[in-house]
């Protein structure tokens, strides 16, 4: 019964591409140019699809075509589906070239500042495994998105997945050597009067760090606001102020001396980093990657 339904209602891939392109451009002519087809071929594909589905996808407004409400709903969903098919094919190609491919979703800042600099070590230890890395911020359905591993920051709250905690977050105060000299910063108490750089999503972090450092009656702490840690780090390097950032994000800056830690206080937050994997899936390639990350920590 399923096969008969598919044969009756599922259009060919070429028909789906014609519809997706026509919907995106709101034009059969532009769709034909994009797909290197004739306009009559695109029109025929749309008619075939409407016949199979039993409802209209476009309506004519003068010399233009406009999606019907049902056509728009289908176009929105189909765009995502075609994108996933394309990603699947690209991953398959990568797997065929490298022998094995691992699809990893990661927080963008974690990937650029911690994971990617270490990946050469993983590739050296596992030369037959290729890594496909994609940025993701929020939890998602791993089975639907076809990822093998994801990096999650926050609480143990990713539904329908297996989580392995691999490190807590510790934030330290840092500044450039020139900033420290100019502002006479010798310890945490000197930051009370110095320019500070704040992450917008953590307005109370500096106050918590000051209390952790043993300072009492901490006043309101004004300063420049940024919405990304990468901006806070860049601002600290440029001497705009002292930044409060996770230590793992600035390993290279600390090694090179571009940034210097102020005091010895490390503020441990309530959030942690987790390795996320789909439930009930055996994947030796993912096992190797997870073991490698845990060893790095």
């Amino acid at each position: 019964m399923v096969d008969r339904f598919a044969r009756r209602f599922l259009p060919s891939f070429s028909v789906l591409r014609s519809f997706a392109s026509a919907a995106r451009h709101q034009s059969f002519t532009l769709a034909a140019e994009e797909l290197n087809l004739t306009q009559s071929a695109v029109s025929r594909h749309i008619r075939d699809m409407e016949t199979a589905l039993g409802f209209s996808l476009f309506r004519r407004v003068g010399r233009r075509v406009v999606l019907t409400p049902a056509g728009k709903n289908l176009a929105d969903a189909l765009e995502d589906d075609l994108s996933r098919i394309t990603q699947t094919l690209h991953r398959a190609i990568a797997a065929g070239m490298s022998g094995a491919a691992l699809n990893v979703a990661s927080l963008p800042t974690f990937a650029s500042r911690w994971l990617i600099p270490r990946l050469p070590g993983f590739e050296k230890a596992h030369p037959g495994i290729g890594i496909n890395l994609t940025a993701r911020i929020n939890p998602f359905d791993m089975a639907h998105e076809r990822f093998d591993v994801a990096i999650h920051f926050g609480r143990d709250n990713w539904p329908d997945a297996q989580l392995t905690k691999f490190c807590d977050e510790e934030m330290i105060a840092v500044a450039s050597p020139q900033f420290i000299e100019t502002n006479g910063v010798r310890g945490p108490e000197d930051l009370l009067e110095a320019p500070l750089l704040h992450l917008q999503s953590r307005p109370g972090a500096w106050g918590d760090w000051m209390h952790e450092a043993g300072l009492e009656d901490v006043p309101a702490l004004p300063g420049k606001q940024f919405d990304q840690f990468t901006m806070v780090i860049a601002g600290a390097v440029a001497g705009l102020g002292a930044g409060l950032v996770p230590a793992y994000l600035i390993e290279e800056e600390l090694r090179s001396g571009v940034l210097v830690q102020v005091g010895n206080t490390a503020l441990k937050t309530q959030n942690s980093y987790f390795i996320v994997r789909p439930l009930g899936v055996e994947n030796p390639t993912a096992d190797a990657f997870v073991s490698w990350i845990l060893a790095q920590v």
Side-chain angles (χ1 to χ4, degrees), residues 249-291:
L249 291 182
I250 51 172
E251 292 173 336
E252 181 56 36
E253 285 81 2
L254 292 173
R255 274 195 296 266
S256 66
V258 172
L259 291 177
V260 177
Q261 183 174 354
V262 178
N264 297 314
T265 299
L267 176 65
K268 184 176 180 179
T269 71
Q270 296 181 339
N271 295 313
S272 302
Y273 286 88
F274 297 88
I275 303 170
V276 186
R277 299 181 60 182
L279 286 174
V281 176
E282 294 186 8
N283 188 334
T285 302
D287 293 341
F289 184 75
V290 171
S291 297

Short mmCIF file of all heavy atoms in Angstrom, two decimals, residues 249-291:
data_model
loop_
_atom_site.label_atom_id
_atom_site.label_comp_id
_atom_site.label_asym_id
_atom_site.label_seq_id
_atom_site.Cartn_x
_atom_site.Cartn_y
_atom_site.Cartn_z
N LEU A 249 38.44 29.61 25.85
CA LEU A 249 38.32 30.41 24.64
C LEU A 249 39.58 31.23 24.34
O LEU A 249 39.74 31.73 23.23
CB LEU A 249 37.13 31.36 24.74
CG LEU A 249 35.73 30.75 24.72
CD1 LEU A 249 34.67 31.84 24.79
CD2 LEU A 249 35.52 29.89 23.48
N ILE A 250 40.43 31.38 25.32
CA ILE A 250 41.57 32.30 25.15
C ILE A 250 42.89 31.61 25.43
O ILE A 250 43.85 32.25 25.87
CB ILE A 250 41.42 33.54 26.05
CG1 ILE A 250 41.13 33.12 27.50
CG2 ILE A 250 40.32 34.46 25.52
CD1 ILE A 250 41.17 34.29 28.48
N GLU A 251 42.97 30.33 25.15
CA GLU A 251 44.21 29.59 25.42
C GLU A 251 45.39 30.18 24.65
O GLU A 251 46.47 30.37 25.21
CB GLU A 251 44.02 28.12 25.05
CG GLU A 251 43.04 27.39 25.95
CD GLU A 251 42.73 25.98 25.46
OE1 GLU A 251 42.89 25.72 24.25
OE2 GLU A 251 42.35 25.14 26.29
N GLU A 252 45.19 30.50 23.39
CA GLU A 252 46.28 31.02 22.58
C GLU A 252 46.67 32.42 23.03
O GLU A 252 47.86 32.76 23.10
CB GLU A 252 45.89 31.05 21.10
CG GLU A 252 46.97 31.55 20.17
CD GLU A 252 48.26 30.77 20.29
OE1 GLU A 252 48.20 29.53 20.51
OE2 GLU A 252 49.34 31.38 20.19
N GLU A 253 45.68 33.27 23.36
CA GLU A 253 45.98 34.63 23.83
C GLU A 253 46.76 34.61 25.14
O GLU A 253 47.67 35.43 25.34
CB GLU A 253 44.68 35.42 24.01
CG GLU A 253 44.02 35.87 22.71
CD GLU A 253 43.21 34.78 22.05
OE1 GLU A 253 43.12 33.65 22.61
OE2 GLU A 253 42.65 35.03 20.97
N LEU A 254 46.43 33.67 26.04
CA LEU A 254 47.17 33.56 27.29
C LEU A 254 48.58 33.05 27.06
O LEU A 254 49.54 33.52 27.68
CB LEU A 254 46.43 32.65 28.26
CG LEU A 254 45.09 33.19 28.81
CD1 LEU A 254 44.39 32.12 29.63
CD2 LEU A 254 45.31 34.44 29.64
N ARG A 255 48.72 32.07 26.14
CA ARG A 255 50.06 31.53 25.85
C ARG A 255 50.97 32.59 25.26
O ARG A 255 52.15 32.68 25.60
CB ARG A 255 49.96 30.34 24.90
CG ARG A 255 49.71 29.01 25.56
CD ARG A 255 49.98 27.86 24.60
NE ARG A 255 49.06 27.87 23.48
CZ ARG A 255 47.92 27.19 23.45
NH1 ARG A 255 47.56 26.45 24.48
NH2 ARG A 255 47.13 27.23 22.39
N SER A 256 50.42 33.40 24.36
CA SER A 256 51.25 34.40 23.68
C SER A 256 51.45 35.67 24.50
O SER A 256 52.30 36.49 24.16
CB SER A 256 50.60 34.77 22.34
OG SER A 256 49.35 35.42 22.55
N GLY A 257 50.67 35.84 25.57
CA GLY A 257 50.80 37.04 26.38
C GLY A 257 49.99 38.21 25.88
O GLY A 257 50.10 39.31 26.43
N VAL A 258 49.20 38.00 24.83
CA VAL A 258 48.34 39.08 24.32
C VAL A 258 47.32 39.48 25.38
O VAL A 258 46.95 40.65 25.50
CB VAL A 258 47.64 38.64 23.02
CG1 VAL A 258 46.60 39.66 22.58
CG2 VAL A 258 48.67 38.44 21.92
N LEU A 259 46.85 38.50 26.16
CA LEU A 259 45.98 38.75 27.30
C LEU A 259 46.62 38.16 28.55
O LEU A 259 47.31 37.15 28.49
CB LEU A 259 44.60 38.13 27.09
CG LEU A 259 43.71 38.75 26.01
CD1 LEU A 259 42.42 37.97 25.87
CD2 LEU A 259 43.42 40.22 26.31
N VAL A 260 46.36 38.82 29.68
CA VAL A 260 46.92 38.39 30.96
C VAL A 260 45.77 38.24 31.95
O VAL A 260 44.87 39.09 32.00
CB VAL A 260 47.93 39.42 31.49
CG1 VAL A 260 48.46 39.02 32.85
CG2 VAL A 260 49.07 39.61 30.49
N GLN A 261 45.81 37.18 32.73
CA GLN A 261 44.76 37.00 33.73
C GLN A 261 44.95 37.97 34.88
O GLN A 261 46.06 38.23 35.34
CB GLN A 261 44.79 35.56 34.27
CG GLN A 261 43.67 35.28 35.29
CD GLN A 261 43.60 33.82 35.71
OE1 GLN A 261 44.33 32.99 35.17
NE2 GLN A 261 42.75 33.51 36.67
N VAL A 262 43.83 38.53 35.32
CA VAL A 262 43.83 39.45 36.47
C VAL A 262 43.40 38.66 37.70
O VAL A 262 42.28 38.15 37.78
CB VAL A 262 42.86 40.62 36.24
CG1 VAL A 262 42.85 41.53 37.46
CG2 VAL A 262 43.25 41.39 34.99
N GLY A 263 44.30 38.55 38.68
CA GLY A 263 44.01 37.76 39.87
C GLY A 263 44.01 36.27 39.56
O GLY A 263 44.34 35.84 38.46
N ASN A 264 43.61 35.49 40.55
CA ASN A 264 43.59 34.03 40.40
C ASN A 264 42.18 33.46 40.47
O ASN A 264 42.01 32.24 40.51
CB ASN A 264 44.45 33.38 41.48
CG ASN A 264 45.92 33.77 41.37
OD1 ASN A 264 46.47 33.75 40.28
ND2 ASN A 264 46.52 34.15 42.49
N THR A 265 41.18 34.34 40.50
CA THR A 265 39.80 33.89 40.68
C THR A 265 39.25 33.29 39.39
O THR A 265 39.38 33.89 38.32
CB THR A 265 38.90 35.05 41.12
OG1 THR A 265 39.39 35.56 42.37
CG2 THR A 265 37.46 34.61 41.29
N ALA A 266 38.63 32.13 39.51
CA ALA A 266 37.92 31.51 38.39
C ALA A 266 36.47 31.32 38.83
O ALA A 266 36.20 30.66 39.84
CB ALA A 266 38.55 30.18 38.01
N LEU A 267 35.56 31.92 38.09
CA LEU A 267 34.14 31.83 38.41
C LEU A 267 33.56 30.60 37.73
O LEU A 267 33.43 30.56 36.50
CB LEU A 267 33.41 33.09 37.95
CG LEU A 267 31.89 33.09 38.14
CD1 LEU A 267 31.52 33.04 39.62
CD2 LEU A 267 31.26 34.31 37.46
N LYS A 268 33.19 29.62 38.53
CA LYS A 268 32.57 28.40 37.98
C LYS A 268 31.07 28.64 37.85
O LYS A 268 30.40 28.91 38.84
CB LYS A 268 32.85 27.21 38.88
CG LYS A 268 32.33 25.90 38.33
CD LYS A 268 32.72 24.73 39.23
CE LYS A 268 32.20 23.42 38.68
NZ LYS A 268 32.58 22.26 39.54
N THR A 269 30.56 28.56 36.63
CA THR A 269 29.14 28.81 36.40
C THR A 269 28.34 27.52 36.61
O THR A 269 28.90 26.45 36.84
CB THR A 269 28.89 29.35 34.99
OG1 THR A 269 29.11 28.30 34.04
CG2 THR A 269 29.82 30.52 34.69
N GLN A 270 27.03 27.64 36.50
CA GLN A 270 26.15 26.48 36.67
C GLN A 270 25.98 25.69 35.36
O GLN A 270 25.25 24.70 35.33
CB GLN A 270 24.78 26.93 37.18
CG GLN A 270 24.84 27.56 38.57
CD GLN A 270 23.47 27.98 39.06
OE1 GLN A 270 22.54 28.17 38.28
NE2 GLN A 270 23.35 28.13 40.36
N ASN A 271 26.63 26.13 34.31
CA ASN A 271 26.51 25.46 33.02
C ASN A 271 27.74 24.60 32.73
O ASN A 271 28.83 24.85 33.27
CB ASN A 271 26.34 26.49 31.89
CG ASN A 271 25.03 27.25 32.04
OD1 ASN A 271 23.99 26.67 32.25
ND2 ASN A 271 25.11 28.57 31.92
N SER A 272 27.55 23.61 31.87
CA SER A 272 28.63 22.70 31.52
C SER A 272 28.58 22.41 30.03
O SER A 272 27.63 22.76 29.34
CB SER A 272 28.51 21.39 32.31
OG SER A 272 28.52 21.63 33.70
N TYR A 273 29.62 21.74 29.55
CA TYR A 273 29.67 21.29 28.16
C TYR A 273 29.41 19.79 28.11
O TYR A 273 29.92 19.03 28.94
CB TYR A 273 31.03 21.61 27.54
CG TYR A 273 31.19 23.08 27.24
CD1 TYR A 273 31.69 23.95 28.21
CD2 TYR A 273 30.83 23.60 26.01
CE1 TYR A 273 31.82 25.30 27.95
CE2 TYR A 273 30.96 24.96 25.74
CZ TYR A 273 31.46 25.79 26.71
OH TYR A 273 31.58 27.14 26.45
N PHE A 274 28.59 19.40 27.13
CA PHE A 274 28.20 18.00 26.99
C PHE A 274 28.46 17.53 25.56
O PHE A 274 28.31 18.30 24.61
CB PHE A 274 26.72 17.81 27.30
CG PHE A 274 26.32 18.14 28.71
CD1 PHE A 274 25.96 19.43 29.06
CD2 PHE A 274 26.30 17.15 29.68
CE1 PHE A 274 25.58 19.74 30.36
CE2 PHE A 274 25.93 17.45 30.99
CZ PHE A 274 25.57 18.75 31.32
N ILE A 275 28.82 16.27 25.44
CA ILE A 275 28.84 15.60 24.14
C ILE A 275 27.49 14.90 23.99
O ILE A 275 27.06 14.17 24.88
CB ILE A 275 29.97 14.57 24.06
CG1 ILE A 275 31.33 15.24 24.33
CG2 ILE A 275 29.99 13.89 22.69
CD1 ILE A 275 32.45 14.26 24.50
N VAL A 276 26.82 15.15 22.88
CA VAL A 276 25.47 14.62 22.66
C VAL A 276 25.51 13.62 21.52
O VAL A 276 26.13 13.86 20.48
CB VAL A 276 24.49 15.76 22.32
CG1 VAL A 276 23.06 15.23 22.26
CG2 VAL A 276 24.60 16.89 23.34
N ARG A 277 24.82 12.48 21.73
CA ARG A 277 24.73 11.46 20.68
C ARG A 277 23.30 10.95 20.60
O ARG A 277 22.57 10.98 21.59
CB ARG A 277 25.69 10.31 20.98
CG ARG A 277 27.15 10.74 21.05
CD ARG A 277 28.07 9.58 21.33
NE ARG A 277 27.97 8.56 20.30
CZ ARG A 277 28.65 7.41 20.32
NH1 ARG A 277 29.48 7.17 21.32
NH2 ARG A 277 28.53 6.54 19.35
N PRO A 278 22.89 10.47 19.44
CA PRO A 278 21.54 9.91 19.33
C PRO A 278 21.39 8.67 20.21
O PRO A 278 22.35 7.92 20.42
CB PRO A 278 21.42 9.54 17.84
CG PRO A 278 22.53 10.27 17.16
CD PRO A 278 23.61 10.42 18.17
N LEU A 279 20.20 8.48 20.71
CA LEU A 279 19.93 7.30 21.53
C LEU A 279 19.91 6.04 20.67
O LEU A 279 19.41 6.04 19.55
CB LEU A 279 18.59 7.45 22.25
CG LEU A 279 18.53 8.42 23.43
CD1 LEU A 279 17.09 8.55 23.92
CD2 LEU A 279 19.44 7.96 24.56
N GLY A 280 20.46 4.96 21.23
CA GLY A 280 20.33 3.65 20.60
C GLY A 280 21.06 3.47 19.29
O GLY A 280 20.70 2.61 18.50
N VAL A 281 22.09 4.28 19.04
CA VAL A 281 22.83 4.18 17.78
C VAL A 281 24.26 3.75 18.07
O VAL A 281 24.97 4.41 18.84
CB VAL A 281 22.84 5.53 17.02
CG1 VAL A 281 23.69 5.43 15.76
CG2 VAL A 281 21.42 5.95 16.67
N GLU A 282 24.70 2.64 17.48
CA GLU A 282 26.09 2.20 17.61
C GLU A 282 26.91 2.78 16.47
O GLU A 282 26.59 2.61 15.30
CB GLU A 282 26.15 0.67 17.59
CG GLU A 282 25.49 0.01 18.78
CD GLU A 282 25.71 -1.49 18.81
OE1 GLU A 282 26.50 -1.98 17.96
OE2 GLU A 282 25.10 -2.16 19.65
N ASN A 283 27.98 3.49 16.82
CA ASN A 283 28.79 4.17 15.82
C ASN A 283 30.24 4.19 16.29
O ASN A 283 30.63 5.06 17.07
CB ASN A 283 28.26 5.60 15.61
CG ASN A 283 28.93 6.31 14.45
OD1 ASN A 283 30.06 6.00 14.09
ND2 ASN A 283 28.25 7.28 13.87
N PRO A 284 31.06 3.25 15.85
CA PRO A 284 32.46 3.20 16.29
C PRO A 284 33.23 4.47 15.95
O PRO A 284 34.13 4.88 16.69
CB PRO A 284 33.02 1.99 15.53
CG PRO A 284 31.82 1.14 15.22
CD PRO A 284 30.71 2.11 14.98
N THR A 285 32.89 5.13 14.83
CA THR A 285 33.56 6.37 14.46
C THR A 285 33.27 7.46 15.48
O THR A 285 34.17 8.20 15.91
CB THR A 285 33.12 6.82 13.06
OG1 THR A 285 33.42 5.79 12.12
CG2 THR A 285 33.84 8.09 12.64
N ALA A 286 32.01 7.56 15.89
CA ALA A 286 31.64 8.53 16.92
C ALA A 286 32.29 8.18 18.25
O ALA A 286 32.70 9.08 19.00
CB ALA A 286 30.12 8.59 17.05
N ASP A 287 32.39 6.88 18.55
CA ASP A 287 33.07 6.46 19.79
C ASP A 287 34.49 6.99 19.83
O ASP A 287 34.96 7.49 20.87
CB ASP A 287 33.09 4.93 19.89
CG ASP A 287 31.71 4.34 20.08
OD1 ASP A 287 30.79 5.08 20.49
OD2 ASP A 287 31.55 3.13 19.82
N ALA A 288 35.19 6.88 18.69
CA ALA A 288 36.58 7.35 18.63
C ALA A 288 36.66 8.86 18.85
O ALA A 288 37.55 9.35 19.55
CB ALA A 288 37.19 6.98 17.28
N PHE A 289 35.72 9.59 18.27
CA PHE A 289 35.72 11.06 18.40
C PHE A 289 35.44 11.47 19.84
O PHE A 289 36.10 12.36 20.38
CB PHE A 289 34.68 11.64 17.45
CG PHE A 289 34.66 13.15 17.43
CD1 PHE A 289 35.65 13.86 16.78
CD2 PHE A 289 33.64 13.85 18.05
CE1 PHE A 289 35.63 15.26 16.75
CE2 PHE A 289 33.60 15.23 18.02
CZ PHE A 289 34.60 15.94 17.37
N VAL A 290 34.46 10.82 20.47
CA VAL A 290 34.11 11.15 21.85
C VAL A 290 35.27 10.84 22.78
O VAL A 290 35.61 11.65 23.66
CB VAL A 290 32.84 10.38 22.27
CG1 VAL A 290 32.59 10.54 23.78
CG2 VAL A 290 31.62 10.87 21.49
N SER A 291 35.90 9.69 22.60
CA SER A 291 37.06 9.33 23.44
C SER A 291 38.18 10.35 23.28
O SER A 291 38.85 10.72 24.25
CB SER A 291 37.56 7.93 23.07
OG SER A 291 36.57 6.96 23.33
#
